[in-house]
Amino acid sequence: MDSPSALDPPAEAAGPSAPLLVECVGLRKTFGGVVALNDADFNAIAGEVHALVGENGAGKSTLIKAIGGRIRPDAGTIRIKGQAQALGAPEDGHALGIRTVFQELTLLGGMTVAENLLIGREPRGRLGFIHRRRMGEEAEALLARMGIEHIDPLALVEETSLAERQIVEIVRAINNRPDILLLDEPTSSLVEREVNWLYGQIEELRKRDTCIIFTSHRWHEIRNVADRITVFRAGRHVGTFEDIDESEAITLMTGKRVSTLYPAVPPLPARDAALEAKGLRGGRLNGVDLTLHKGEILGVGGLAGHGHRELFFSLFGAERTSGGEILVGGKPVRLASPRQATRRGIDIALVPEDRKTEGLFLGMSIRNNMTLSVLGRISSAGVLNFGAERRVAEEMARRLGVRMQGLRHPVGSLSGGNQQKVLIGRWLLMEPRILLLYDITRGVDVATKHELYELVSRLAGQGHSILLYSSDAEELAHLPHRVLVMREGRIARELAGPDMTAESIVSAAVRDTAQS
Amino acid sequence: MPQPKRKAAWIRLVEQNAGLVLSAVLLVIAIVLYCAIYYAAQGRLPGGFELTTTVNNTMPLVFAGAAQAIVVITGGIDLSVGGVIDLTNALAALYLGDSPLSMVLCTIGVIAVGGACGLLNGLLVAYGRLQPILVTLATLAIFQGLAIRVLPAPGGSVPEAYTAILANFEAPYSLVFIVVLLVVWALVRRTSIGVGIYAIGNDDLAAKSSGVKNLRSRVTAYVLSGMLAAVAGLFLVANATSGDPTTGNGYTLRSIVAVVLGGISLFGGRGTPISAVIGAFVSTMIVNILFFAQIDPLYQSFFEGVFLVVAVLLTAIISRLMRRRAVA
Ligand SMILES: Nc1ncnc2c1ncn2[C@@H]1O[C@H](COP(=O)(O)OP(=O)(O)O)[C@@H](O)[C@H]1O
Ligand SMILES: [Mg+2]
């Protein structure tokens, strides 16, 4: 299935007419035994926005790091502005007008936003010493010039949110007026409005003839801003296109044919309530009413900060409520801790978005990570039964289609989507009836998304009830039976049937906000 | 996007300098406690003489603590501080002459030797990519050995004029040197190297990606540390008026204590050497308190340890509370 002849890709874009700003030929990079780049080619020209797509682990970040000078390829040539370059350090790239926003951000947490923004180009006083007060003012002016007013330049980076850090990093890169700007998943932690801000910045840069290379897993983003799209698979360049639709791209990324991204919604059995919330209050929640039926996939949407996170964590007992009721199977329950939520008879499980900080132990094996929730069941007299543990984990990994080298490898070695599957597997082992899935496809590549969608749909078909929050309106429009749009801590709108489109979900969230 | 929500300048200042504020609070507590115990024992409050002796006795630790702090901020640790003090102390006792020229040259020479010791550490850590704790453990032994070689037994002498400058018995003039230290640090902090020292302590790789000169910053930090340790050695010799090649040994641990009492994170990237200066005074006050509480000297280190644990716990608890408030 890997053979390209089995595919008939759409016509590749004609060779670029403008001179090449970035030209990579035959790049190869291995990490231990893992081949991250395998004879990879890539090129980009001035004034274009070039999207780089591929599954998690396809080598996108490695390519960006090679061009940005953070790593040195084992073999191959990188030509920048026509000159072959041996980039060994980021500053080599800086000297050539290359700036990079790496996927793992590179801000210094214990230093202020201003220090981070202006590092290396701090304003100096008469004696050549850094002028701290002017630095704060300059940073403030710089942020304001780019339309950012909510970030305090004198705050420490560690006091800011992930999205704010992402923005600071982007501002810093742009402020250095690069000829080549590399952005590795710049939107992964941004909300809609911030994403639009970024588009605006990219548009400005394009006008200034900057070459922008970015990676993303959000297809509508790629389609909206990219002039050309390059597909990578398994460390190789598969093709570069001016126009390609999503399913064709997925086919190229995976080497498999995928007819549709979203599976058919499974039929609903009798409308028995599995989980109900009545007038739920506390934190940002301001009286939430909802009913999740047995076998139903119920979507939850809305802008960030409007309470969906609190809703999910309250329903899991991880956040305190100050009023209202939660009913499971028609009976009121008190959920003061996740332990109570996962108890037999209640059987609620939550899969959070941030796998690294909220669930997985990256250094531990896939097997240990999966069976953490059921250690009691696979132990006798307090002693873990390794045989049982392996059997249980093997079975679950097969059921979920975790792509791995082996159960004994650390979870950290898996791609993001497969890490997500391990986390889902952990909760499925507890045989929960109710699954709370909180933005589980964020930062996951399209192909793995497809697998996760099929999994969600299958689980619902098997009678699990699923409450699903997603920051991707497209996903909400296709995967669930119904969608609730939240606003200011309440359910503002319920959408079902033909009304359930990405546009209506977004506009429900936005219009309602505008009215307030 | 959320509306701008700026904190008041002073709240931010307190939050971002929590270590400094905490060490100052600790110092106030220690001083009050000391005065109370002193009063109970002597029937009067401590006066100018006590202040002068306390300052003179603390000066070596002030500089040793600052030396340690700079390396700790880079995310490292310098166990060789005590060895550098031994060596520079011995050299000063041997070579200090009575003429002003000799004193100036000898001072410069000794600080240069301290800088060279730091350079060795820095090169091994930065270019050799070795663990700071291992490198400085080894160089500690080397510097101690060299000190014994230079001055096999306690002895040598220090010109009175030198003692009068660094450890004047009349009044706490040496506080001036603390001001000099603060000014020098404020200037260093405003150079690319100063930024680099904090940056590499925060995240080495991120610093590099931000265009920081990692190796140069790290080596400079160790050199500065060595020079400050040498100054500590000079204060020690001036105060004792003669040399002792082993007198610095205790300063490795005491400098770390000063850093911890100063509320500087051993993880690096945060804090300022100024709070190590305050930590040094807190540490001296603890010893003074124990002295006037008439604790049997045999148990002194036991109680010093107890105080230290309490102080560190206090620091941790208060800073956690502050952080929670900051988030709320
Ligand atoms: N520093 C590293 N050490 C070990 N393996 C790595 C490292 N960086 C990347 N890899 C591996 O190289 C492959 C490509 O990774 P990457 O370039 O990050 O992919 P992408 O960005 O397309 O998701 C993956 O299999 C990944 O696990
Ligand atoms: Mg990547």
Side-chain angles (χ1 to χ4, degrees):
Chain A
M1 71 179 179
D2 252 333
S3 106
S5 61
L7 312 163
D8 45 353
E12 278 206 45
S17 44
L20 297 179
L21 217 47
V22 179
E23 192 183 5
C24 303
V25 184
L27 294 188
R28 185 178 172 80
K29 178 76 193 177
T30 55
F31 295 101
V34 182
V35 183
L37 289 178
N38 185 8
D39 199 15
D41 300 332
F42 178 79
N43 65 58
I45 57 175
E48 79 164 332
V49 180
H50 197 135
L52 193 55
V53 301
E55 290 186 89
N56 289 124
K60 305 180 296 295
S61 296
T62 309
L63 178 69
I64 291 209
K65 284 180 193 164
I67 302 173
R70 182 139 165 190
I71 59 164
R72 200 192 283 271
D74 305 334
T77 343
I78 299 176
R79 270 192 283 275
I80 306 292
K81 301 173 186 170
Q83 297 280 322
Q85 301 290 348
L87 297 161
E91 61 250 41
D92 302 342
H94 295 176
L96 292 164
I98 305 172
R99 289 283 163 166
T100 315
V101 174
F102 294 105
Q103 188 169 5
E104 37 308 283
L105 298 182
T106 59
L107 295 180
L108 303 158
M111 299 168 77
T112 63
V113 168
E115 282 177 302
N116 273 280
L117 275 176
L118 297 174
I119 195 162
R121 43 160 59 201
E122 299 92 348
R124 305 277 172 157
R126 250 173 301 134
L127 297 173
F129 291 107
I130 294 168
H131 199 300
R132 308 258 304 166
R133 186 167 49 78
R134 268 218 337 255
M135 188 158 70
E137 291 163 3
E138 248 177 54
E140 176 111 53
L142 167 62
L143 287 169
R145 211 161 49 239
M146 295 216 192
I148 303 293
E149 261 140 35
H150 64 293
I151 300 177
D152 181 350
L154 298 183
L156 296 183
V157 164
E158 63 196 4
E159 298 169 337
T160 61
S161 72
L162 198 56
E164 288 170 347
R165 286 177 214 181
Q166 185 85 54
I167 289 172
V168 170
E169 188 113 24
I170 293 168
V171 168
R172 177 171 73 174
I174 294 177
N175 184 40
N176 284 289
R177 302 194 162 261
D179 299 323
I180 300 162
L181 178 65
L182 308 167
L183 303 167
D184 198 355
E185 298 197 20
T187 55
S188 59
S189 51
L190 300 186
V191 299
E192 188 91 16
R193 188 140 164 206
E194 297 161 334
V195 171
N196 288 333
W197 166 83
L198 177 61
Y199 291 169
Q201 298 299 325
I202 288 180
E203 207 43 55
E204 285 292 306
L205 289 170
R206 192 207 320 245
K207 282 191 213 133
R208 278 197 253 144
D209 245 13
T210 312
C211 162
I212 299 137
I213 301 167
F214 79 104
T215 70
S216 170
H217 289 305
R218 300 185 183 182
W219 192 257
H220 64 271
E221 227 168 77
I222 297 166
R223 203 177 37 210
N224 286 346
V225 295
D227 298 317
R228 290 198 296 160
I229 298 168
T230 288
V231 181
F232 257 63
R233 178 167 83 233
R236 271 175 200 275
H237 177 268
V238 180
T240 298
F241 311 91
E242 265 163 28
D243 200 16
I244 180 173
D245 73 36
E246 187 167 14
S247 63
E248 282 169 333
I250 298 172
T251 307
L252 289 177
M253 283 158 63
T254 56
K256 281 184 273 189
R257 261 186 197 292
V258 178
S259 46
T260 51
L261 183 55
Y262 299 98
V265 182
L268 262 186
R271 288 171 78 83
D272 295 332
L275 175 70
E276 292 161 86
K278 289 188 178 157
L280 211 57
R281 296 175 175 281
R284 284 213 168 99
L285 298 183
N286 191 14
V288 173
D289 296 296
L290 65 80
T291 307
L292 170 65
H293 299 102
K294 191 163 182 306
E296 185 181 33
I297 307 174
L298 178 58
V300 176
L303 299 177
H306 282 253
H308 27 74
R309 192 184 165 82
E310 289 75 5
L311 173 64
F312 275 64
F313 280 75
S314 302
L315 292 175
F316 189 53
E319 194 129 315
R320 223 172 266 257
T321 52
S322 60
E325 261 194 311
I326 298 172
L327 292 85
V328 173
K331 285 195 286 287
V333 291
R334 256 187 58 74
L335 302 176
S337 70
R339 180 176 284 270
Q340 289 178 351
T342 52
R343 228 175 23 203
R344 273 286 121 105
I346 296 185
D347 300 314
I348 299 178
L350 175 100
V351 182
E353 81 188 299
D354 195 343
R355 306 177 284 273
K356 296 202 174 75
T357 59
E358 288 177 26
L360 288 177
F361 300 94
L362 295 183
M364 282 168 63
S365 70
I366 296 166
R367 185 170 82 184
N368 291 152
N369 266 289
M370 240 188 219
T371 56
L372 213 56
S373 56
V374 290
L375 287 182
R377 226 177 57 207
I378 52 176
S379 308
S380 36
V383 180
L384 190 60
N385 178 341
F386 286 127
E389 190 196 12
R390 203 190 53 239
R391 271 194 307 281
V392 165
E394 239 161 36
E395 153 77 30
M396 184 53 72
R398 205 180 49 243
R399 210 172 126 198
L400 300 180
V402 178
R403 272 181 283 160
M404 57 180 180
Q405 281 172 283
L407 281 171
R408 289 214 250 131
H409 288 263
V411 162
S413 70
L414 296 178
S415 70
N418 282 294
Q419 292 183 3
Q420 199 62 277
K421 290 184 198 164
V422 171
L423 196 53
I424 295 175
R426 178 194 298 167
W427 295 111
L428 286 184
L429 281 176
M430 299 185 69
E431 296 161 10
R433 289 180 301 167
I434 300 163
L435 274 166
L436 311 175
L437 305 181
Y438 191 85
D439 221 3
I440 54 166
T441 57
R442 171 167 272 202
V444 168
D445 66 75
V446 204
T448 313
K449 264 185 196 166
H450 177 68
E451 292 176 18
L452 289 174
Y453 295 154
E454 298 217 303
L455 175 67
V456 168
S457 165
R458 205 161 58 233
L459 288 170
Q462 291 164 359
H464 294 280
S465 308
I466 294 166
L467 193 66
L468 172 101
Y469 164 73
S470 173
S471 53
D472 182 351
E474 213 51 68
E475 185 174 307
L476 284 177
H478 288 92
L479 197 54
H481 294 97
R482 288 184 295 145
V483 173
L484 306 174
V485 181
M486 284 188 78
R487 171 206 142 202
E488 291 177 354
R490 301 164 175 274
I491 306 296
R493 191 85 188 268
E494 176 178 334
L495 296 163
D499 292 342
M500 215 170 91
T501 62
E503 290 73 28
S504 64
I505 293 169
V506 170
S507 78
V510 173
R511 190 178 50 238
D512 288 353
T513 307
Q515 275 169 4
S516 66
Chain B
M1 291 181 204
Q3 284 313 298
K5 189 178 59 193
R6 299 284 162 88
K7 289 175 183 159
W10 71 271
I11 293 184
R12 199 171 46 210
L13 215 61
V14 169
E15 270 174 17
Q16 293 186 357
N17 296 289
L20 190 61
V21 174
L22 284 169
S23 58
V25 170
L26 273 183
L27 183 59
V28 171
I29 295 176
I31 290 176
V32 169
L33 214 62
Y34 167 69
C35 289
I37 286 192
Y38 187 96
Y39 190 83
Q42 308 282 317
R44 63 177 178 88
L45 283 176
F49 173 76
E50 282 77 15
L51 178 64
T52 307
T53 6
T54 302
V55 169
N56 285 341
N57 287 339
T58 313
M59 287 313 285
L61 188 55
V62 163
F63 281 85
Q68 188 65 258
I70 291 179
V71 169
V72 165
I73 289 169
T74 67
I77 195 149
D78 188 350
L79 299 183
S80 74
V81 164
V84 177
I85 294 179
D86 282 337
L87 179 59
T88 52
N89 181 302
L91 285 171
L94 204 60
Y95 292 114
L96 268 175
D98 285 320
S99 74
L101 183 68
S102 150
M103 283 192 246
V104 170
L105 288 181
C106 186
T107 301
I108 292 173
V110 163
I111 294 177
V113 169
C117 293
L119 183 65
L120 176 65
N121 285 332
L123 291 176
L124 286 171
V125 171
Y127 290 91
R129 292 162 190 265
L130 300 171
Q131 292 275 353
I133 194 165
L134 295 180
V135 167
T136 56
L137 187 63
T139 55
L140 168 66
I142 293 174
F143 301 150
Q144 282 172 336
L146 286 175
I148 297 280
R149 186 70 211 262
V150 170
L151 190 72
S157 70
V158 177
E160 263 172 42
Y162 203 70
T163 299
I165 295 170
L166 292 193
N168 196 297
F169 298 124
E170 307 281 320
Y173 293 128
S174 35
L175 286 174
V176 171
F177 295 103
I178 295 185
V179 175
V180 173
L181 172 66
L182 299 188
V183 170
V184 169
W185 174 252
L187 293 180
V188 171
R189 182 72 184 83
R190 285 167 175 72
T191 62
S192 303
I193 294 286
V195 172
I197 286 175
Y198 280 89
I200 58 179
N202 269 287
D203 183 337
D204 205 44
L205 200 57
K208 204 165 168 194
S209 300
S210 309
V212 166
K213 305 253 182 293
N214 287 28
L215 298 176
R216 200 181 297 173
S217 305
R218 197 177 299 282
V219 172
T220 310
Y222 281 88
V223 170
L224 286 174
S225 169
M227 289 165 65
L228 289 171
V231 175
L234 291 173
F235 274 103
L236 204 57
V237 86
N239 207 21
T241 68
S242 76
D244 179 344
T246 59
T247 176
N249 290 354
Y251 277 88
T252 291
L253 282 181
R254 294 182 64 195
S255 66
I256 297 172
V257 169
V259 161
V260 171
L261 288 177
I264 298 174
S265 162
L266 291 179
F267 292 113
R270 286 153 187 82
T272 149
I274 302 168
S275 51
V277 170
I278 300 179
F281 278 100
V282 175
S283 164
T284 310
M285 294 315 290
I286 292 176
V287 176
N288 286 352
I289 290 168
L290 292 176
F291 177 78
F292 283 104
Q294 293 179 334
I295 303 286
D296 185 334
L298 281 177
Y299 296 126
Q300 185 168 332
S301 85
F302 169 84
F303 281 100
E304 268 184 62
V306 171
F307 262 86
L308 189 62
V309 169
V310 171
V312 170
L313 270 178
L314 218 65
T315 314
I317 290 169
I318 296 177
S319 63
R320 204 164 303 159
L321 285 178
M322 280 176 63
R323 195 150 327 131
R324 189 157 318 152
R325 271 215 37 205
V327 170

